[in-house]
Amino acid sequence: LQSLPATLKLKPPAATPTQPQPTPSTHSTTLKMDGDDAHGTVKLVSKEGDTFEVPIEVAKLSNLVVTTLGEEDDDDYDDDDDNMVEIPLPNVKTSVLAKVIEYCTHYNQDPMTPITTPLKSNRIEEIVQEWYAHFVDVEQILLFELVTAANFMDIKALLDLTCLAVSVLIKGKSAEEIRRIFNISNDFSPEEEAQVSKENQFTDGTSSSS
């Protein structure tokens, strides 16, 4: 993806009127995931306080989990609720965390084909397996939340996939369309905008030589 001009300022995403922010739970909801792991289970706690019990083998796709577990004693890798390691994820909503765990669980069974550049196609399903292509076929706001979650939890494969989906989303869009997608304000004056366009022509090699 090409870098946006430094003078463009990112604004926080506008709240979706039909999807009000969820109220944090006063009691955590424990959701057990399928799968056996010889090294036990870890609790991932969402922003709202909902708890997911995930096999460590699956959760370790996240480098954040790996780092956290590295700071714990081996005795804490226990299926006993009182001893199970608990990892808070204050930047990841429950609905998004559920999707992240779905990705990690499937990846543990069928690893995603690595995404390399230059891309061999503009179609996601021709770059990775069909399941992964369908996984990122979601609403724009959820896609951006998955990018944020993958970055926060340091899950490289998921970050690569979601960034690929974003690049496909903005491909062929005008600068104004991209600003709307990312909710970016344009502080350029008409003269500065014209200058940027002129510079881009030189970058693209479309200008005539003098």
Side-chain angles (χ1 to χ4, degrees):
L1 296 179
Q2 295 181 347
S3 301
L4 292 172
T7 51
L8 295 181
K9 296 181 180 179
L10 288 171
K11 291 182 179 179
T16 306
T18 56
Q19 295 181 345
Q21 292 295 320
T23 303
S25 307
T26 53
H27 301 287
S28 66
T29 302
T30 299
L31 303 174
K32 294 189 177 182
M33 310 303 294
D34 293 333
D36 296 326
D37 182 57
H39 301 291
T41 310
V42 63
K43 287 183 177 181
L44 302 182
V45 185
S46 72
K47 175 182 179 179
E48 295 90 342
D50 293 321
T51 302
F52 295 78
E53 292 184 14
V54 184
I56 290 177
E57 181 183 44
V58 171
K60 276 190 169 181
L61 190 60
S62 162
N63 285 320
L64 173 64
V65 171
V66 172
T67 301
T68 304
L69 292 178
E71 298 171 354
E72 302 289 340
D73 295 331
D74 290 341
D75 292 341
D76 289 333
Y77 301 171
D78 198 323
D79 286 335
D80 188 301
D81 284 350
D82 293 333
N83 296 326
M84 197 180 301
V85 177
E86 189 169 285
I87 302 177
L89 302 170
N91 293 351
V92 185
K93 297 194 305 187
T94 296
S95 57
V96 179
L97 181 54
K99 288 286 289 181
V100 171
I101 294 172
E102 178 188 356
Y103 176 90
C104 293
T105 301
H106 187 86
Y107 189 100
N108 188 55
Q109 301 166 351
D110 179 24
M112 185 181 76
T113 301
I115 298 172
T116 57
T117 54
L119 298 175
K120 62 182 182 181
S121 171
N122 292 326
R123 295 171 58 85
I124 299 178
E125 58 269 26
E126 294 178 359
I127 299 174
V128 295
Q129 298 95 311
E130 184 178 1
W131 187 93
Y132 293 101
H134 285 309
F135 180 83
V136 288
D137 185 14
V138 295
E139 293 183 2
Q140 179 179 303
I141 187 169
L142 176 55
L143 178 60
F144 289 168
E145 288 174 333
L146 285 169
V147 172
T148 301
N151 185 58
F152 176 72
M153 296 179 68
D154 195 2
I155 306 175
K156 183 182 183 302
L158 178 56
L159 186 60
D160 287 347
L161 177 62
T162 51
C163 286
L164 170 63
V166 171
S167 71
V168 170
L169 174 68
I170 66 176
K171 183 176 177 60
K173 299 288 194 301
S174 67
E176 183 58 35
E177 288 173 320
I178 292 174
R179 290 191 193 102
R180 285 199 298 268
I181 290 173
F182 290 101
N183 197 25
I184 300 172
S185 62
N186 179 17
D187 291 339
F188 284 163
S189 66
E191 293 77 15
E192 290 172 326
E193 186 91 27
Q195 180 62 29
V196 170
S197 297
K198 183 177 180 181
E199 291 173 355
N200 285 341
Q201 286 180 353
F202 283 107
T203 301
D204 295 339
T206 56
S207 61
S208 58
S209 56
S210 55

